[in-house]
Amino acid sequence: MNGVVKLTNDKRDGTRYSRKIGRMGNSLGVSLPKSLAAKLNISQGDEIEFIENDRGEVLLRKARQGKLPDNVRPEVLEAFFDVFEEDEGILEDLRDR
């Protein structure tokens, strides 16, 4: 899961991080441990996204940046990225052949 961190209540899943929620203006916020920020390749000013899956798990990842060409719909590009991330191991295996 390169660049994606799964936040879950399952104690069997990887490294656990604990942080208190604080107030940030009219919103709530949380700080990220330095090691987690490094795993996500994020720094101050970067945008992150939270994705909830059908099992109630929340994925945290750096938001994708960039301007799309006029003829590419954002949902098509997002679907491409999702497939690429799911099949990353297969693609790496093909590259190494």
Side-chain angles (χ1 to χ4, degrees):
M1 274 190 343
N2 190 12
V4 178
V5 175
K6 181 171 66 171
L7 305 176
T8 178
N9 289 328
D10 190 341
K11 294 180 183 178
R12 297 171 290 163
D13 286 341
T15 306
R16 295 184 62 117
Y17 301 95
S18 177
R19 288 291 196 256
K20 289 192 177 192
I21 304 294
R23 178 147 319 269
M24 298 178 77
N26 290 330
S27 301
L28 297 176
V30 63
S31 65
L32 297 177
K34 186 176 182 177
S35 61
L36 180 57
K39 284 181 184 178
L40 292 169
N41 190 30
I42 59 173
S43 58
Q44 184 175 348
D46 287 341
E47 190 173 328
I48 58 172
E49 54 185 7
F50 300 88
I51 304 103
E52 183 178 3
N53 67 22
D54 57 352
R55 295 183 305 257
E57 298 168 329
V58 178
L59 302 175
L60 169 67
R61 70 179 176 198
K62 184 175 184 175
R64 296 184 181 103
Q65 301 294 320
K67 184 175 179 334
L68 294 177
D70 292 337
N71 60 342
V72 176
R73 296 189 328 261
E75 60 272 16
V76 172
L77 186 61
E78 188 65 30
F80 168 78
F81 280 122
D82 289 343
V83 168
F84 181 79
E85 287 174 355
E86 290 172 10
D87 298 333
E88 187 174 2
I90 294 170
L91 296 171
E92 287 174 358
D93 183 52
L94 289 172
R95 179 195 65 209
D96 295 338
R97 289 184 181 200

